[in-house]
Amino acid sequence: PVARGDALMTGTGKAQLPDQLEVRWEFQAGNPKNGGVEGAPAIVGGVVYVASLDKHLYAVDLATGKEKWKAKLGAMKASPCVRGDRVYVGTLDGMFYCLKAADGKKVWEFETGGEIAAGCNFH
């Protein structure tokens, strides 16, 4: 649920990939001209959370690839992070947000005064 897999940023996980991979679905984050995804998604509880340069944080159903909700926050390169029932992400204009994972509603925001280009971490 955080960048690089865990608080120690080991970059490892317990899942094993099959020998033969196949595309199950694709998701277009915004318009290709103003969109794009640079950070890794967070996958928790059957939902894929994706931060995009098109200024939206997306929640996508892992099984179907269908959008569950999106929240307009600002252009994002940072990976979103999930803890409990909250999603955390920062924007390139220096805002850090906490959203409800269920519906994308804003819980709080914090202005950092600088660009946020990396995912947060929990201790």
Side-chain angles (χ1 to χ4, degrees):
V2 296
R4 304 265 316 137
D6 56 31
L8 296 175
M9 303 181 90
T10 62
T12 61
K14 295 177 180 145
Q16 292 186 353
L17 294 174
D19 291 335
Q20 188 66 32
L21 299 176
E22 64 181 70
V23 176
R24 297 183 76 184
W25 51 262
E26 294 181 20
F27 181 79
Q28 177 64 52
N31 183 322
K33 292 182 181 181
N34 70 357
V37 175
E38 291 196 15
I43 304 172
V44 178
V47 180
V48 181
Y49 300 94
V50 181
S52 176
L53 289 168
D54 78 348
K55 301 183 179 182
H56 288 91
L57 177 67
Y58 294 91
V60 179
D61 184 271
L62 178 61
T64 66
K66 302 293 182 201
E67 181 181 304
K68 294 173 71 72
W69 55 258
K70 68 180 177 181
K72 188 170 185 177
L73 304 173
M76 293 167 274
K77 287 185 179 180
S79 297
C81 298
V82 180
R83 185 171 189 177
D85 62 350
R86 301 289 191 249
V87 181
Y88 302 85
V89 70
T91 64
L92 293 177
D93 60 0
M95 296 300 294
F96 187 68
Y97 293 95
C98 173
L99 307 172
K100 293 181 182 178
D103 57 16
K105 302 293 184 207
K106 191 184 321 173
V107 177
W108 52 259
E109 63 184 57
F110 177 78
E111 186 173 356
T112 66
E115 178 180 292
I116 301 172
C120 66
N121 205 341
F122 304 106
H123 189 22

